[in-house]
Amino acid sequence: MAELARRKQAAGRPQMEKMHRSSSYLSDHQQYRPPKKPETYHGIDEVVEGSPPPKSTSPKAALPFRGVPQDDMPATIVDSGVSHSLSHPNCAPPPGQKSDRLVATLFYKGSSLTSAPASARPAALSESNETLPPNMAPTTNMDAFPLEPPTQESEQLDHIYGSYISPLCIASFLHLMSTFPQPRGAEEPHSSHRCLDSPETPRIVELTLSPVPSPECLSLSDLRKHEMIYRFEQEWNVDVVLQLDLVWRRHPRLVVFDMDSTLITQEVVELMAETIKEPADLAARVADITRRAMMGELEFEASFRERVALLKNVNATVFDNLRPVLDVTRGAPELIKALKRLGVKTAVLSGGFQPLTSWLAEQLGIDYAFANEVMIEKGKLTGETKGIIVGKERKRDLLVEIAAKEQVDLAQAVAVGDGANDLLMLGKAGLGVAWNAKPRVQMEADARLNSKSLLDLLYLFGFTAEEIQMLSA
């Protein structure tokens, strides 16, 4: 019985009999065992009797390398299929010389421009002169006789060659740039390009051109406004941004924004007017004044006071009520996040109202916020303003003050806006960007972007789509 109990106790863990065990625990439990050694195997410490002595071979003397093939070391030619030049005109210039390069960033707008509606086209001629449009010959009224035929708009080419920056678009742009006067004694123009978002169907392409067109004949400011550049943009449905290839372009330190129609898609004063039901045409009147002020037809300060006067007796709670209504421009939060990661200071300089501007700046993480203050009595707007109106001069001065406080050179400052009251600010910054702006602003600003996402601003600094994704993630 004792023997049976002992066997049951040991049954839970099978054990090897002593006669089958080896002297090594590792040999018993390892899963892999090396194969048996062949009979001819001899250990390193064994002496093999009767084996012939090894042949003594003297090492071959190393031949000196003289950079040329020799008889016993013939040249080996391998076709790798790669052609690469160690030098390019767009590389860093030799010591003592100054770089002379222009960077052109091409943005495809994403949708073809629409043609003129059928109602705007001349009616077809018929046998009866009575059906002719009144402004077309033949006519007996010489005052109505057209002196010149109507100017035909440029043909849209992007829908023919591809809805992106196509190779033919790049070739056309390079040909255009080659027609501008070159500096005296300059070598043949050279160029290189990078597709910043997609190598196959790029929407943004950065071209580096050398040399810069002669500044004696055509300044950079005039080149940006050149009629041929404008025609190219219309034909290929693109925006062209021209910048000198300087270190400031790649390393901005301060970016300031307008608020209405820039950081947000609306005009705040119009939103406030829409809350007033009497008189019924108040919102339309305010919108008309705003439009004329942004177009530069009215002085901003006077027009702002006029619009605020129309808001008399509006409850001050309107600012809190409008917070959830504000529509932040696509890409704005990601852009601010990316700029903060790069150590760039940001500011919003608004011709709107301080309560909403400060709230939006806090939501987006913007460092500075300046806007207009309005008088409030007994919980209602009095229709009057207080302090300095944040108009075009004030925006420019605030940009200079913030740059001085942060010890930022204005060459490293970027300003973004859409209205005529932003022009002085755009002109003072190292780079002024007209964002979906009014026609006058687009023509006078350094750069124009007619895009859907404010995040596209980072392409102007030379970042690729992959890098922008990393910065804004």
Side-chain angles (χ1 to χ4, degrees):
M1 294 294 293
E3 180 65 20
L4 181 61
R6 185 184 64 80
R7 290 183 179 182
K8 288 183 177 181
Q9 184 179 2
R13 186 179 63 182
Q15 297 181 357
M16 296 180 64
E17 296 294 337
K18 185 175 181 180
M19 59 178 298
H20 296 296
R21 293 181 183 177
S22 68
S23 60
S24 171
Y25 177 86
L26 180 62
S27 299
D28 291 340
H29 296 278
Q30 66 181 359
Q31 296 182 0
Y32 170 77
R33 290 180 173 83
K36 293 183 178 181
K37 300 175 183 178
E39 296 180 357
T40 57
Y41 172 81
H42 302 283
I44 193 171
D45 54 348
E46 296 184 19
V47 178
V48 181
E49 297 180 358
S51 60
K55 296 181 180 179
S56 61
T57 57
S58 58
K60 185 178 180 180
L63 297 176
F65 177 72
R66 297 187 177 89
V68 294
Q70 299 183 17
D71 295 338
D72 51 354
M73 288 177 27
T76 303
I77 301 176
V78 178
D79 185 6
S80 64
V82 177
S83 176
H84 185 76
S85 174
L86 295 179
S87 178
H88 189 274
N90 285 331
C91 295
Q97 294 187 15
K98 188 178 180 181
S99 62
D100 185 24
R101 296 190 296 266
L102 182 71
V103 174
T105 310
L106 275 58
F107 290 82
Y108 181 68
K109 296 180 183 179
S111 60
S112 299
L113 300 178
T114 57
S115 58
S119 59
R121 300 170 187 167
L125 297 178
S126 63
E127 296 180 359
S128 174
N129 292 341
E130 296 178 355
T131 61
L132 290 174
N135 63 334
M136 293 188 66
T139 178
T140 57
N141 184 4
M142 294 304 297
D143 294 334
F145 192 88
L147 300 180
E148 294 182 0
T151 304
Q152 187 175 5
E153 292 293 333
S154 302
E155 181 184 2
Q156 302 301 312
L157 300 178
D158 60 308
H159 69 282
I160 300 176
Y161 299 103
S163 298
Y164 59 96
I165 307 295
S166 62
L168 192 58
C169 175
I170 296 176
S172 178
F173 179 76
L174 294 176
H175 173 72
L176 169 62
M177 296 301 296
S178 68
T179 62
F180 294 123
Q182 301 295 318
R184 295 181 181 179
E187 299 179 356
E188 289 293 324
H190 298 276
S191 63
S192 62
H193 80 275
R194 294 192 304 153
C195 300
L196 298 184
D197 58 340
S198 169
E200 297 180 356
T201 56
R203 189 176 64 89
I204 301 99
V205 173
E206 179 187 277
L207 296 102
T208 304
L209 302 97
S210 176
V212 177
S214 175
E216 298 177 357
C217 303
L218 196 63
S219 66
L220 179 60
S221 177
D222 292 337
L223 182 62
R224 286 166 168 165
K225 303 173 185 177
H226 202 281
E227 180 184 0
M228 298 304 295
I229 298 290
Y230 176 76
R231 283 185 173 272
F232 173 83
E233 290 178 321
Q234 299 303 306
E235 289 178 353
W236 290 98
N237 198 19
V238 298
D239 286 323
V240 178
V241 180
L242 301 176
Q243 303 178 78
L244 294 178
D245 189 20
L246 303 175
V247 66
W248 314 129
R249 179 186 77 91
R250 300 185 296 274
H251 300 283
R253 294 183 56 202
L254 173 64
V255 180
V256 299
F257 300 90
D258 177 36
M259 178 172 164
D260 294 9
S261 298
T262 302
L263 282 179
I264 63 174
T265 61
Q266 310 119 314
E267 294 286 337
V268 170
V269 68
E270 295 181 14
L271 294 177
M272 296 178 65
E274 291 174 359
T275 64
I276 304 175
K277 304 303 179 183
E278 296 293 338
D281 64 339
L282 178 62
R285 289 162 56 191
V286 171
D288 180 66
I289 297 173
T290 302
R291 180 189 62 81
R292 294 170 62 191
M294 294 299 101
M295 295 287 289
E297 299 175 4
L298 299 175
E299 285 294 331
F300 179 81
E301 290 81 355
S303 67
F304 182 76
R305 288 191 174 92
E306 182 179 356
R307 285 175 287 172
V308 171
L310 295 174
L311 301 176
K312 185 178 180 180
N313 294 326
V314 173
N315 288 328
T317 56
V318 66
F319 297 118
D320 296 331
N321 297 335
L322 287 179
R323 288 179 180 179
V325 181
L326 296 185
D327 181 29
V328 178
T329 302
R330 175 181 169 187
E334 294 82 0
L335 173 62
I336 301 301
K337 183 177 182 180
L339 292 174
K340 291 181 73 68
R341 283 190 169 184
L342 293 170
V344 179
K345 293 294 182 179
T346 54
V348 51
L349 310 180
S350 173
F353 301 94
Q354 187 67 45
L356 285 175
T357 303
S358 298
W359 176 82
L360 181 66
E362 182 180 356
Q363 296 297 309
L364 296 179
I366 297 176
D367 300 301
Y368 296 91
F370 294 92
N372 298 303
E373 296 281 0
V374 293
M375 300 287 291
I376 299 176
E377 291 183 1
K378 298 180 180 180
K380 292 187 177 182
L381 275 64
T382 64
E384 299 177 351
T385 63
K386 63 179 179 180
I388 303 175
I389 298 296
V390 182
K392 53 185 178 181
E393 289 85 2
R394 182 58 177 162
K395 286 190 175 185
R396 176 198 59 197
D397 297 341
L398 286 171
L399 168 63
V400 175
E401 291 176 12
I402 296 173
K405 181 178 179 180
E406 296 292 340
Q407 298 182 347
V408 174
D409 193 304
L410 287 175
Q412 291 180 273
V414 179
V416 186
D418 74 297
N421 64 323
D422 298 318
L423 280 173
L424 294 183
M425 174 181 72
L426 299 181
K428 195 66 176 179
L431 177 66
V433 181
W435 170 257
N436 293 320
K438 311 302 182 289
R440 176 187 170 188
V441 183
Q442 297 218 25
M443 290 304 299
E444 295 191 25
D446 298 332
R448 47 186 171 267
L449 278 183
N450 296 281
S451 176
K452 297 180 180 179
S453 173
L454 265 176
L455 204 56
D456 286 351
L457 186 71
L458 293 177
Y459 289 114
L460 297 181
F461 310 147
F463 291 107
T464 64
E466 181 182 10
E467 294 167 338
I468 293 175
Q469 178 66 28
M470 294 174 60
L471 289 171
S472 59

Short mmCIF file of all heavy atoms in Angstrom, two decimals, residues 1-36:
data_model
loop_
_atom_site.label_atom_id
_atom_site.label_comp_id
_atom_site.label_asym_id
_atom_site.label_seq_id
_atom_site.Cartn_x
_atom_site.Cartn_y
_atom_site.Cartn_z
N MET A 1 0.82 -1.20 0.00
CA MET A 1 0.00 0.00 0.00
C MET A 1 0.86 1.26 0.00
O MET A 1 0.55 2.25 -0.66
CB MET A 1 -0.92 0.00 1.23
CG MET A 1 -1.97 -1.11 1.22
SD MET A 1 -3.16 -0.91 -0.10
CE MET A 1 -3.97 0.55 0.47
N ALA A 2 1.92 1.20 0.76
CA ALA A 2 2.82 2.36 0.82
C ALA A 2 3.46 2.61 -0.53
O ALA A 2 3.64 3.75 -0.96
CB ALA A 2 3.89 2.13 1.89
N GLU A 3 3.81 1.52 -1.22
CA GLU A 3 4.41 1.67 -2.55
C GLU A 3 3.42 2.26 -3.53
O GLU A 3 3.75 3.10 -4.38
CB GLU A 3 4.90 0.30 -3.04
CG GLU A 3 5.55 0.33 -4.43
CD GLU A 3 6.84 1.13 -4.44
OE1 GLU A 3 7.43 1.34 -3.34
OE2 GLU A 3 7.27 1.58 -5.52
N LEU A 4 2.12 1.87 -3.45
CA LEU A 4 1.08 2.40 -4.34
C LEU A 4 0.85 3.89 -4.08
O LEU A 4 0.69 4.68 -5.01
CB LEU A 4 -0.22 1.61 -4.13
CG LEU A 4 -1.41 2.03 -5.01
CD1 LEU A 4 -1.05 1.85 -6.48
CD2 LEU A 4 -2.65 1.22 -4.65
N ALA A 5 0.85 4.29 -2.82
CA ALA A 5 0.67 5.71 -2.49
C ALA A 5 1.83 6.54 -3.01
O ALA A 5 1.66 7.66 -3.49
CB ALA A 5 0.53 5.86 -0.97
N ARG A 6 3.04 5.97 -2.93
CA ARG A 6 4.20 6.71 -3.42
C ARG A 6 4.11 6.92 -4.92
O ARG A 6 4.44 7.98 -5.44
CB ARG A 6 5.47 5.93 -3.05
CG ARG A 6 6.76 6.67 -3.42
CD ARG A 6 7.96 5.80 -3.12
NE ARG A 6 7.95 4.61 -3.96
CZ ARG A 6 8.37 4.60 -5.24
NH1 ARG A 6 8.79 5.72 -5.81
NH2 ARG A 6 8.34 3.49 -5.93
N ARG A 7 3.63 5.91 -5.65
CA ARG A 7 3.52 6.03 -7.11
C ARG A 7 2.44 7.05 -7.51
O ARG A 7 2.59 7.79 -8.47
CB ARG A 7 3.21 4.67 -7.71
CG ARG A 7 4.38 3.70 -7.62
CD ARG A 7 4.04 2.39 -8.31
NE ARG A 7 5.17 1.47 -8.25
CZ ARG A 7 5.16 0.26 -8.81
NH1 ARG A 7 4.07 -0.16 -9.45
NH2 ARG A 7 6.22 -0.53 -8.71
N LYS A 8 1.30 7.09 -6.78
CA LYS A 8 0.26 8.07 -7.09
C LYS A 8 0.75 9.49 -6.85
O LYS A 8 0.43 10.43 -7.58
CB LYS A 8 -0.98 7.80 -6.23
CG LYS A 8 -1.75 6.56 -6.66
CD LYS A 8 -3.00 6.41 -5.80
CE LYS A 8 -3.82 5.21 -6.26
NZ LYS A 8 -5.06 5.04 -5.46
N GLN A 9 1.54 9.68 -5.81
CA GLN A 9 2.07 11.02 -5.52
C GLN A 9 3.03 11.48 -6.60
O GLN A 9 3.07 12.65 -6.95
CB GLN A 9 2.76 10.99 -4.15
CG GLN A 9 3.27 12.37 -3.73
CD GLN A 9 3.92 12.31 -2.36
OE1 GLN A 9 4.03 11.22 -1.76
NE2 GLN A 9 4.34 13.46 -1.87
N ALA A 10 3.77 10.58 -7.16
CA ALA A 10 4.74 10.94 -8.20
C ALA A 10 4.13 10.98 -9.58
O ALA A 10 4.77 11.39 -10.54
CB ALA A 10 5.90 9.95 -8.17
N ALA A 11 2.85 10.53 -9.72
CA ALA A 11 2.24 10.47 -11.05
C ALA A 11 1.98 11.86 -11.62
O ALA A 11 1.88 12.03 -12.82
CB ALA A 11 0.94 9.68 -10.98
N GLY A 12 1.84 12.87 -10.78
CA GLY A 12 1.56 14.21 -11.28
C GLY A 12 2.71 14.82 -12.04
O GLY A 12 2.52 15.72 -12.84
N ARG A 13 3.93 14.37 -11.84
CA ARG A 13 5.10 14.92 -12.53
C ARG A 13 5.96 13.77 -13.02
O ARG A 13 6.68 13.15 -12.26
CB ARG A 13 5.89 15.81 -11.60
CG ARG A 13 7.05 16.52 -12.32
CD ARG A 13 7.79 17.41 -11.37
NE ARG A 13 8.41 16.65 -10.30
CZ ARG A 13 9.10 17.19 -9.31
NH1 ARG A 13 9.19 18.50 -9.23
NH2 ARG A 13 9.66 16.44 -8.38
N PRO A 14 5.88 13.48 -14.32
CA PRO A 14 6.69 12.36 -14.84
C PRO A 14 8.17 12.65 -14.70
O PRO A 14 8.62 13.77 -14.91
CB PRO A 14 6.25 12.27 -16.30
CG PRO A 14 5.71 13.61 -16.63
CD PRO A 14 5.11 14.13 -15.37
N GLN A 15 8.91 11.66 -14.35
CA GLN A 15 10.35 11.80 -14.17
C GLN A 15 11.06 10.70 -14.94
O GLN A 15 10.52 9.63 -15.18
CB GLN A 15 10.71 11.70 -12.68
CG GLN A 15 10.11 12.82 -11.84
CD GLN A 15 10.51 12.68 -10.39
OE1 GLN A 15 11.19 11.71 -10.01
NE2 GLN A 15 10.11 13.64 -9.57
N MET A 16 12.27 11.05 -15.35
CA MET A 16 13.09 10.07 -16.06
C MET A 16 13.76 9.14 -15.05
O MET A 16 14.09 9.56 -13.94
CB MET A 16 14.17 10.78 -16.89
CG MET A 16 13.60 11.65 -18.00
SD MET A 16 14.91 12.44 -18.94
CE MET A 16 15.70 11.01 -19.65
N GLU A 17 13.88 7.92 -15.46
CA GLU A 17 14.60 7.00 -14.60
C GLU A 17 16.06 7.38 -14.55
O GLU A 17 16.59 8.02 -15.45
CB GLU A 17 14.46 5.57 -15.13
CG GLU A 17 13.04 5.04 -15.11
CD GLU A 17 12.52 4.89 -13.70
OE1 GLU A 17 13.35 4.77 -12.77
OE2 GLU A 17 11.29 4.91 -13.52
N LYS A 18 16.69 7.05 -13.52
CA LYS A 18 18.07 7.44 -13.31
C LYS A 18 18.99 6.93 -14.39
O LYS A 18 19.91 7.61 -14.82
CB LYS A 18 18.54 6.94 -11.94
CG LYS A 18 19.93 7.40 -11.57
CD LYS A 18 20.27 6.96 -10.17
CE LYS A 18 21.66 7.45 -9.79
NZ LYS A 18 22.04 7.03 -8.43
N MET A 19 18.68 5.76 -14.91
CA MET A 19 19.56 5.16 -15.90
C MET A 19 19.45 5.89 -17.25
O MET A 19 20.33 5.77 -18.08
CB MET A 19 19.21 3.68 -16.08
CG MET A 19 17.78 3.43 -16.52
SD MET A 19 17.43 1.69 -16.77
CE MET A 19 18.57 1.30 -18.09
N HIS A 20 18.32 6.64 -17.49
CA HIS A 20 18.16 7.35 -18.76
C HIS A 20 18.58 8.81 -18.68
O HIS A 20 18.52 9.52 -19.68
CB HIS A 20 16.69 7.29 -19.21
CG HIS A 20 16.24 5.89 -19.51
ND1 HIS A 20 16.76 5.13 -20.53
CD2 HIS A 20 15.30 5.10 -18.88
CE1 HIS A 20 16.17 3.95 -20.55
NE2 HIS A 20 15.28 3.90 -19.55
N ARG A 21 18.94 9.27 -17.51
CA ARG A 21 19.32 10.67 -17.37
C ARG A 21 20.76 10.88 -17.81
O ARG A 21 21.60 9.99 -17.69
CB ARG A 21 19.17 11.12 -15.92
CG ARG A 21 17.72 11.16 -15.45
CD ARG A 21 17.67 11.65 -14.02
NE ARG A 21 16.30 11.62 -13.52
CZ ARG A 21 15.97 11.94 -12.28
NH1 ARG A 21 16.92 12.31 -11.43
NH2 ARG A 21 14.71 11.89 -11.89
N SER A 22 21.00 12.10 -18.32
CA SER A 22 22.37 12.47 -18.68
C SER A 22 22.96 13.30 -17.56
O SER A 22 22.28 13.66 -16.61
CB SER A 22 22.38 13.25 -19.99
OG SER A 22 21.77 14.52 -19.82
N SER A 23 24.18 13.62 -17.73
CA SER A 23 24.85 14.41 -16.70
C SER A 23 24.62 15.90 -16.89
O SER A 23 25.13 16.70 -16.11
CB SER A 23 26.35 14.11 -16.71
OG SER A 23 26.89 14.44 -17.99
N SER A 24 23.88 16.31 -17.94
CA SER A 24 23.68 17.73 -18.24
C SER A 24 22.19 18.05 -18.24
O SER A 24 21.41 17.41 -18.95
CB SER A 24 24.30 18.08 -19.60
OG SER A 24 23.92 19.39 -19.97
N TYR A 25 21.80 19.02 -17.44
CA TYR A 25 20.40 19.45 -17.42
C TYR A 25 20.02 20.08 -18.76
O TYR A 25 18.93 19.88 -19.28
CB TYR A 25 20.20 20.45 -16.29
CG TYR A 25 18.79 21.01 -16.21
CD1 TYR A 25 17.80 20.33 -15.52
CD2 TYR A 25 18.47 22.20 -16.84
CE1 TYR A 25 16.51 20.83 -15.44
CE2 TYR A 25 17.19 22.71 -16.77
CZ TYR A 25 16.21 22.02 -16.07
OH TYR A 25 14.94 22.52 -16.01
N LEU A 26 20.96 20.85 -19.36
CA LEU A 26 20.70 21.50 -20.64
C LEU A 26 20.48 20.48 -21.73
O LEU A 26 19.58 20.61 -22.56
CB LEU A 26 21.87 22.43 -21.00
CG LEU A 26 21.73 23.19 -22.32
CD1 LEU A 26 20.52 24.10 -22.28
CD2 LEU A 26 22.99 23.98 -22.61
N SER A 27 21.27 19.39 -21.72
CA SER A 27 21.12 18.36 -22.74
C SER A 27 19.78 17.65 -22.61
O SER A 27 19.20 17.21 -23.60
CB SER A 27 22.26 17.35 -22.63
OG SER A 27 23.50 18.00 -22.85
N ASP A 28 19.27 17.54 -21.39
CA ASP A 28 17.99 16.86 -21.19
C ASP A 28 16.81 17.68 -21.67
O ASP A 28 15.81 17.15 -22.13
CB ASP A 28 17.81 16.54 -19.71
CG ASP A 28 18.79 15.47 -19.26
OD1 ASP A 28 19.29 14.75 -20.14
OD2 ASP A 28 19.03 15.38 -18.04
N HIS A 29 16.89 19.00 -21.57
CA HIS A 29 15.71 19.83 -21.78
C HIS A 29 15.78 20.72 -23.02
O HIS A 29 14.78 21.34 -23.36
CB HIS A 29 15.48 20.70 -20.54
CG HIS A 29 15.17 19.92 -19.32
ND1 HIS A 29 13.91 19.44 -19.05
CD2 HIS A 29 15.96 19.48 -18.30
CE1 HIS A 29 13.91 18.77 -17.91
NE2 HIS A 29 15.15 18.78 -17.43
N GLN A 30 16.91 20.87 -23.68
CA GLN A 30 16.94 21.73 -24.85
C GLN A 30 16.18 21.08 -26.00
O GLN A 30 16.14 19.87 -26.13
CB GLN A 30 18.39 22.01 -25.26
CG GLN A 30 19.15 20.79 -25.75
CD GLN A 30 20.57 21.13 -26.10
OE1 GLN A 30 20.96 22.28 -26.00
NE2 GLN A 30 21.35 20.15 -26.52
N GLN A 31 15.52 21.92 -26.79
CA GLN A 31 14.72 21.41 -27.90
C GLN A 31 15.56 21.07 -29.11
O GLN A 31 15.17 20.25 -29.93
CB GLN A 31 13.65 22.44 -28.27
CG GLN A 31 12.64 22.70 -27.16
CD GLN A 31 11.59 23.67 -27.61
OE1 GLN A 31 11.62 24.14 -28.73
NE2 GLN A 31 10.66 23.98 -26.73
N TYR A 32 16.69 21.76 -29.28
CA TYR A 32 17.52 21.52 -30.45
C TYR A 32 18.81 20.85 -30.00
O TYR A 32 19.45 21.30 -29.05
CB TYR A 32 17.85 22.82 -31.17
CG TYR A 32 18.90 22.67 -32.25
CD1 TYR A 32 18.57 22.11 -33.48
CD2 TYR A 32 20.22 23.04 -32.00
CE1 TYR A 32 19.54 21.94 -34.45
CE2 TYR A 32 21.19 22.89 -32.98
CZ TYR A 32 20.84 22.34 -34.20
OH TYR A 32 21.79 22.17 -35.16
N ARG A 33 19.17 19.77 -30.69
CA ARG A 33 20.44 19.10 -30.44
C ARG A 33 21.21 19.03 -31.75
O ARG A 33 20.64 18.72 -32.79
CB ARG A 33 20.22 17.69 -29.89
CG ARG A 33 19.66 17.67 -28.48
CD ARG A 33 19.47 16.25 -28.00
NE ARG A 33 19.08 16.20 -26.60
CZ ARG A 33 17.84 16.37 -26.17
NH1 ARG A 33 16.87 16.56 -27.04
NH2 ARG A 33 17.56 16.31 -24.88
N PRO A 34 22.47 19.35 -31.73
CA PRO A 34 23.25 19.32 -32.98
C PRO A 34 23.34 17.90 -33.50
O PRO A 34 23.26 16.94 -32.74
CB PRO A 34 24.62 19.85 -32.54
CG PRO A 34 24.69 19.57 -31.08
CD PRO A 34 23.30 19.70 -30.57
N PRO A 35 23.46 17.76 -34.81
CA PRO A 35 23.57 16.40 -35.38
C PRO A 35 24.85 15.72 -34.91
O PRO A 35 25.80 16.38 -34.47
CB PRO A 35 23.59 16.67 -36.89
CG PRO A 35 24.09 18.07 -37.03
CD PRO A 35 23.56 18.81 -35.83
N LYS A 36 24.83 14.41 -35.03
CA LYS A 36 26.01 13.65 -34.61
C LYS A 36 27.20 14.00 -35.49
O LYS A 36 27.07 14.20 -36.69
CB LYS A 36 25.73 12.15 -34.70
CG LYS A 36 24.70 11.67 -33.69
CD LYS A 36 24.53 10.18 -33.78
CE LYS A 36 23.53 9.69 -32.75
NZ LYS A 36 23.36 8.22 -32.82
#
